[in-house]
Amino acid sequence: MNKPFQFKQFTIKQDKTAMKVGTDGVLLGAWVKIETEVCSILDVGSGTGLIALMLAQRSNAEVIDAVELNADAYVQNVENFEATDWGDRLFCYHASLQEFADEIDDKYDLIISNPPFYTSTFKNLSKERAMARHTESLTYTALLFLVSKLVSKKGSCAFIIPYVEESSFIEIARENKLFINRITRVKGTESSVIKRSLLQFSFFEKPIEKDELIIEIKRHEYTPKYVELVKDFYLKM
């Protein structure tokens, strides 16, 4: 599984890190609403740079910054950024979000994160992968507090999280004056349980856009809605 992952307009090398290309990142990068006036984007916990690269493809934002704490993922991220035509717009910082927020004075029009999760412990995961998957390295409370400091007044922020944590995540966001504007709940198939929530927030309370996304009709046969969402990225869509 260490082969590079080839998308239509960029390639993700992932041989140096435990953080592999996954459906969650692709979903979030394709789903997030990018307003035309978005000039600056921040990808928190960027891993190999997948989401930042998707947003470079989708937007004209002049500044697309990424923050990645894991040393191996950071090296891979820089490599992936430099290999694209968008390298002059992309920059990765090797830091924790806490360190980054302390150092930076800028505000971002869009902040996006596929945060580490799985609050249970995985004994058979490598330490590095467990960190990538574990909220203790950056709790939702810390994440949303710092994002609320870094996002511009008219900006927005978007996340993908386990559905079971949706209501508490929205409540923590509200405590930081971030209001839910969009929710898409993701199911593998029509009959399966909801697994993920795609969430977009801003400092403005407005009617919430809600919908559902089903990925597959049956194994390897994708729903038209899913294909429409990701077809600009996946080679075989």
Side-chain angles (χ1 to χ4, degrees):
M1 270 308 290
N2 287 337
K3 293 203 308 268
F5 200 107
Q6 184 67 52
F7 288 93
K8 283 184 177 169
Q9 294 191 37
F10 59 87
T11 302
I12 297 287
K13 290 187 177 172
Q14 47 185 2
D15 54 304
K16 295 185 174 75
T17 169
M19 299 166 208
K20 305 304 179 199
V21 169
T23 306
D24 286 358
V26 177
L27 277 173
L28 181 59
W31 173 86
V32 62
K33 185 183 278 183
I34 309 172
E35 302 296 349
T36 46
E37 60 271 20
V38 165
C39 295
S40 56
I41 296 173
L42 177 65
D43 177 16
V44 175
S46 185
T48 53
L50 167 67
I51 294 172
L53 285 162
M54 291 179 75
L55 299 194
Q57 179 181 324
R58 285 188 59 204
S59 79
N60 297 315
E62 293 155 28
V63 173
I64 302 175
D65 287 341
V67 181
E68 178 49 56
L69 178 59
N70 179 279
D72 293 333
Y74 165 75
V75 169
Q76 196 105 67
N77 188 306
V78 171
E79 186 181 7
N80 288 330
F81 281 2
E82 287 175 350
T84 72
D85 298 338
W86 312 305
D88 57 337
R89 297 157 60 202
L90 293 153
F91 190 84
C92 188
Y93 293 86
H94 183 207
S96 69
L97 183 60
Q98 291 90 333
E99 291 166 331
F100 179 79
D102 285 345
E103 293 290 316
I104 210 94
D105 295 324
D106 302 331
K107 302 271 187 186
Y108 292 89
D109 299 323
L110 175 61
I111 299 179
I112 194 160
S113 183
N114 174 11
F117 52 73
Y118 294 103
T119 24
S120 59
T121 50
F122 281 69
K123 294 193 176 73
N124 56 353
L125 285 182
S126 71
K127 189 177 168 201
E128 178 191 7
R129 189 170 175 110
M131 188 180 94
R133 288 227 160 160
H134 211 290
T135 44
E136 279 173 12
S137 52
L138 179 66
T139 64
Y140 288 160
T141 304
L143 172 66
L144 286 160
F145 171 74
L146 293 165
V147 165
S148 73
K149 298 280 175 269
L150 289 164
V151 71
S152 65
K153 283 274 182 286
K154 292 182 179 170
S156 72
C157 50
F159 310 88
I160 184 167
I161 61 163
Y163 170 65
V164 293
E165 291 167 13
E166 179 188 285
S167 56
S168 63
F169 194 91
I170 289 170
E171 185 50 43
I172 297 164
R174 182 178 274 273
E175 287 163 11
N176 289 284
K177 309 281 190 294
L178 290 166
F179 300 101
I180 186 71
N181 298 154
R182 293 177 70 215
I183 302 176
T184 296
R185 295 180 178 126
V186 184
K187 295 165 72 166
T189 61
E190 179 66 60
S191 59
S192 58
V193 296
I194 300 168
K195 280 193 75 174
R196 297 280 183 266
S197 294
L198 289 153
L199 308 172
Q200 191 156 3
F201 301 85
S202 75
F203 291 118
F204 301 97
E205 268 195 279
K206 42 190 161 184
I208 301 166
E209 297 172 39
K210 281 188 187 176
D211 68 351
E212 188 173 82
L213 175 67
I214 297 163
I215 294 177
E216 290 182 318
I217 298 162
K218 55 177 194 268
R219 192 87 178 116
H220 300 315
E221 187 185 330
Y222 299 102
T223 63
K225 192 171 175 182
Y226 177 72
V227 172
E228 184 57 34
L229 186 65
V230 300
K231 68 177 179 1
D232 290 345
F233 300 100
Y234 283 128
L235 289 177
K236 294 185 172 141
M237 292 268 175

